[in-house]
């Protein structure tokens, strides 16, 4: 498998070189809104460790990532009044991965509303800012 490329987009977000609509952060994880959401509230959760895929992460860091993902997913279901929830995680181009820093997708779902195809719709920055604030507030409350 290829090695980790420190110039991937999410590594740049972690280093503060690119901006993101932050939802949550702790010492091991960072969460932000997807700029091309497949559903309102499409949120990404990433480890701070430089890992390319699910196969590379230390098991304890993975356990923490999943715990944080569940916390954020609960908040997302509340904030977006979701009827359901889809969690996705892709590895390597053959597995659908496009950005090569491990990440988990949180997708709040509404009955009868299909996911938009990937990378087909760029959300307005003001909308994402508002959604990120609401999610961050729900996580604190
Ligand atoms: P994948 O690697 O297929 O699991 O998906 C990568 C995801 O990253 C896609 O849903 C993109 O819309 C999203 N994405 C790409 N660039 C950014 C960015 N700068 N900020 C937030 N999300 C991004």
């Amino acid at each position: 498998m290829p090695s980790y490329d420190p110039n991937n987009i999410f590594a740049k977000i972690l280093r503060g070189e690119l901006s993101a609509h932050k939802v949550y952060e702790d010492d091991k994880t960072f969460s932000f809104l997807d700029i091309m959401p497949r559903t309102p509230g499409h949120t990404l959760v990433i480890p701070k460790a430089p890992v390319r895929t699910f196969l590379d992460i230390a098991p304890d860091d993975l356990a923490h990532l999943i715990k944080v993902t569940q916390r954020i997913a609960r908040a997302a279901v509340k904030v977006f009044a979701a009827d359901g929830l889809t969690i996705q995680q892709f590895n390597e181009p053959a597995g659908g991965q496009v950005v090569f820093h491990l990440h988990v997708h949180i997708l709040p779902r509404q009955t009868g509303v299909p996911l938009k195809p990937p990378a087909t719709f760029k959300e307005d920055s003001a909308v994402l800012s508002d959604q990120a604030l609401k999610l961050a507030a729900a996580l604190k409350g």
Side-chain angles (χ1 to χ4, degrees), residues 128-140:
L128 293 176
S129 292
D130 180 60
Q131 292 175 344
L133 283 176
K134 286 183 176 142
L135 283 166
L139 282 164
K140 280 180 195 142

Side-chain angles (χ1 to χ4, degrees), residues 9-10 32-36 44 90 96-99 103 105:
I9 293 170
F10 295 169
F32 53 104
L33 290 178
D34 197 299
I35 47 166
M36 289 177 277
L44 303 172
F90 304 114
Q97 188 176 13
V98 174
V99 177
H103 53 280
H105 297 257

Side-chain angles (χ1 to χ4, degrees), residues 56-120:
D56 306 321
I57 189 167
D60 284 352
D61 286 354
L62 178 61
H64 183 71
L65 184 75
I66 295 300
K67 281 183 195 169
V68 167
T69 299
Q70 188 192 45
R71 261 191 75 195
I72 297 169
R74 283 176 171 159
V77 164
K78 245 190 228 168
V79 167
F80 292 90
D83 303 315
L85 174 72
T86 299
I87 301 288
Q88 292 180 321
Q89 197 282 308
F90 304 114
N91 301 283
E92 298 297 345
Q97 188 176 13
V98 174
V99 177
F100 298 103
H101 181 112
L102 171 62
H103 53 280
V104 181
H105 297 257
I106 295 171
L107 299 141
R109 303 296 303 274
Q110 304 294 337
T111 303
V113 180
L115 290 180
K116 288 188 174 69
T120 51

Side-chain angles (χ1 to χ4, degrees), residues 17-75:
E17 294 166 13
L18 282 179
S19 64
H21 296 279
K22 181 168 117 176
V23 168
Y24 175 83
E25 179 172 15
D26 64 25
D27 58 333
K28 289 192 160 200
T29 59
F30 190 81
S31 176
F32 53 104
L33 290 178
D34 197 299
I35 47 166
M36 289 177 277
R38 299 186 64 188
T39 181
H42 183 169
T43 305
L44 303 172
V45 191
I46 68 175
K48 288 188 171 175
V51 287
R52 182 175 164 99
T53 75
F54 185 86
L55 302 175
D56 306 321
I57 189 167
D60 284 352
D61 286 354
L62 178 61
H64 183 71
L65 184 75
I66 295 300
K67 281 183 195 169
V68 167
T69 299
Q70 188 192 45
R71 261 191 75 195
I72 297 169
R74 283 176 171 159

